[in-house]
Amino acid sequence: MTIKINKEFYENKLGEALGRLHSEGRYRTFIEIERARGNFPNARWITEVKEEKSVTVWCGNDYLGMGQNKIVLEAMQDALQNAGAGSGGTRNISGTTVYHKKLENELAALHCKEAALLFTSAYVANDSALSTLPKLLPGLIVYSDELNHASMIEGIRRNGGERRIFRHNDIAHLRKLLEADDENAPKLIAFESIYSMDGDFAPIEKICELAEEFSALTYIDEVHAVGMYGDTGGGVAERDNLLSRIDIVNGTLAKAYGVMGGYIASSERICDVLRSYSPGFIFTTSLPPAIAAGGLASVVHLKTNQMLRDQHQLQSNILKARLKAVGLPIIDHGSHIIPVVVGNPIHTKKLSDMLLSDFDIYVQPINYPTVPRGTERLRFTPSPLHGPNEINHLVKSMDYLWSHCALNRAELSA
């Protein structure tokens, strides 16, 4: 047998794949920053010529600045001193600590559920739950919003069961799909409360009505809402008084709560099943105790800090009004997420680069496949700590660049 390929073949093929991203303007570069404690939302950035600059981060998911909060940091430091660095194992083998259980109990209470289950990330929680449940509920049909997060799509795809994709937030289409299937087949409707790329809300109540009519489970991803919406930070479902009609909640500790990790909140039985059958839970080392302690402190703190949530919404509304006033094409669905649609990957990257190098503003370009081609954008996520000075500087910079670049497309493409 004559082998016709060598290691150069693999390198060339992988190089071609990377080359396609470069040619389309979709190659992703990572900006290395160092967050400065006590100076949020600013960070230190080391430029290519080794110059240190202070930049304002406008694209972070630490929506409320809780990653810098004194209460969270002290809780983490105490746990680190008391329990050490790592958890020491999987949840089943020495990796379940008092910190994990206290946090799970707090999260269950947050969503008015019987139980909660911690995962290493909300991605893993979505993937694990949506790939495990269909294997334990024979014949389960999953109905998924077409704009669901990649973690939901991957979990649904991997479960091997029946799936239906309904048009985004289209209740009539969802009803049509439900009506076409066997009325006695088990069903689950999976959707998000806030969709992170456009910042729009799901019609949760109408979905719940359909779920009740067709005896389907409801599965909601609240990662861009927990901590920020509802009287105690329980998300949009809490804000709309719909928690009792939601069967399974997916949430994260890595955004508004400022640390890391994900979770499922649901019935005792569903959490027990996922604990017992989900590979994504069983076969991975649990979160470090310090992370769980920080998450717990953050959840408890935000349950009673409506002032911070109100300030967050105020800053978001101010920025949206200011950007609209200078004529920028923002998408405004009433949430805290503010996309400015550019519509071209090369132009989007150029704007991002110029904001960083010339104006000390860091916002990452968002391109296909995260968003559809032709809708490439810059997505701004203001926090309560983005004050008037930061907002003024951002609006003036965007106004200048947008006007300047509109007249100099050749420069953008250079």
Side-chain angles (χ1 to χ4, degrees), residues 160-224:
E162 292 291 324
R163 61 184 184 272
R164 311 282 186 260
I165 311 301
F166 61 92
R167 290 187 291 272
H168 179 54
N169 281 349
D170 191 330
I171 295 299
H173 188 219
L174 175 57
R175 170 178 284 280
K176 184 177 181 180
L177 293 174
L178 287 162
E179 289 176 337
D181 284 319
D182 182 354
E183 63 180 10
N184 292 316
K187 302 174 178 67
L188 181 148
I189 304 173
F191 59 101
E192 299 185 43
S193 62
I194 300 177
Y195 290 84
S196 63
M197 290 300 111
D198 284 352
D200 56 331
F201 295 88
I204 303 174
E205 185 172 15
K206 293 179 179 179
I207 291 175
C208 289
E209 290 170 355
L210 277 183
E212 289 158 5
E213 180 180 346
F214 289 90
S215 298
L217 294 172
T218 48
Y219 184 108
I220 189 170
D221 179 309
E222 288 259 37
V223 298
H224 290 278

Side-chain angles (χ1 to χ4, degrees), residues 48-266:
E48 293 180 357
V49 295
K50 305 304 179 183
E51 176 188 4
E52 183 177 301
K53 299 183 69 175
S54 176
V55 298
T56 302
V57 179
W58 275 101
C59 57
N61 284 339
D62 188 355
Y63 290 134
L64 302 179
M66 291 301 292
Q68 305 283 313
N69 186 279
K70 181 180 178 181
I71 294 172
V72 173
L73 297 181
E74 288 179 350
M76 295 181 71
Q77 289 165 350
D78 288 344
L80 184 64
Q81 291 299 319
N82 293 333
S87 69
T90 65
R91 288 293 297 274
N92 183 52
I93 305 175
S94 81
T96 295
T97 71
V98 293
Y99 301 99
H100 297 85
K101 291 308 299 179
K102 286 180 179 179
L103 177 53
E104 286 176 337
N105 291 339
E106 197 67 43
L107 291 169
L110 175 68
H111 296 289
C112 299
K113 300 303 176 193
E114 295 176 347
L117 194 65
L118 281 172
F119 290 79
T120 51
S121 72
Y123 186 108
V124 175
N126 268 335
D127 184 24
S128 297
L130 291 169
S131 63
T132 299
L133 287 174
K135 297 174 183 177
L136 304 173
L137 296 169
L140 180 69
I141 304 171
V142 178
Y143 301 81
S144 174
D145 188 290
E146 67 178 340
L147 293 189
N148 277 341
H149 189 264
S151 58
M152 302 174 77
I153 294 170
E154 181 64 14
I156 294 167
R157 183 190 65 79
R158 288 199 307 110
N159 69 42
E162 292 291 324
R163 61 184 184 272
R164 311 282 186 260
I165 311 301
F166 61 92
R167 290 187 291 272
H168 179 54
N169 281 349
D170 191 330
I171 295 299
H173 188 219
L174 175 57
R175 170 178 284 280
K176 184 177 181 180
L177 293 174
L178 287 162
E179 289 176 337
D181 284 319
D182 182 354
E183 63 180 10
N184 292 316
K187 302 174 178 67
L188 181 148
I189 304 173
F191 59 101
E192 299 185 43
S193 62
I194 300 177
Y195 290 84
S196 63
M197 290 300 111
D198 284 352
D200 56 331
F201 295 88
I204 303 174
E205 185 172 15
K206 293 179 179 179
I207 291 175
C208 289
E209 290 170 355
L210 277 183
E212 289 158 5
E213 180 180 346
F214 289 90
S215 298
L217 294 172
T218 48
Y219 184 108
I220 189 170
D221 179 309
E222 288 259 37
V223 298
H224 290 278
V226 290
M228 295 173 286
Y229 295 82
D231 291 340
T232 65
V236 181
E238 182 191 34
R239 183 198 69 179
D240 297 346
N241 296 313
L242 295 170
L243 279 175
S244 63
R245 301 171 73 177
I246 299 294
D247 295 296
I248 305 168
V249 179
N250 170 275
T252 186
L253 300 166
K255 293 181 170 59
Y257 292 122
V259 286
M260 69 169 292
Y263 62 89
I264 294 293
S266 188

Side-chain angles (χ1 to χ4, degrees), residues 338-392:
I338 308 175
V340 175
V341 177
V342 181
N344 178 290
I346 296 175
H347 295 172
T348 307
K349 179 65 166 61
K350 189 72 172 180
L351 281 170
S352 172
D353 289 345
M354 294 168 74
L355 283 168
L356 183 63
S357 62
D358 299 345
F359 298 96
D360 302 329
I361 291 170
Y362 173 38
V363 57
Q364 194 73 10
I366 298 178
N367 299 319
Y368 176 84
T370 306
V371 295
R373 295 182 191 274
T375 69
E376 293 82 5
R377 64 199 61 184
L378 299 175
R379 187 188 64 160
F380 297 95
T381 54
S383 76
L385 300 176
H386 285 86
N389 292 337
E390 287 83 8
I391 290 176
N392 284 336

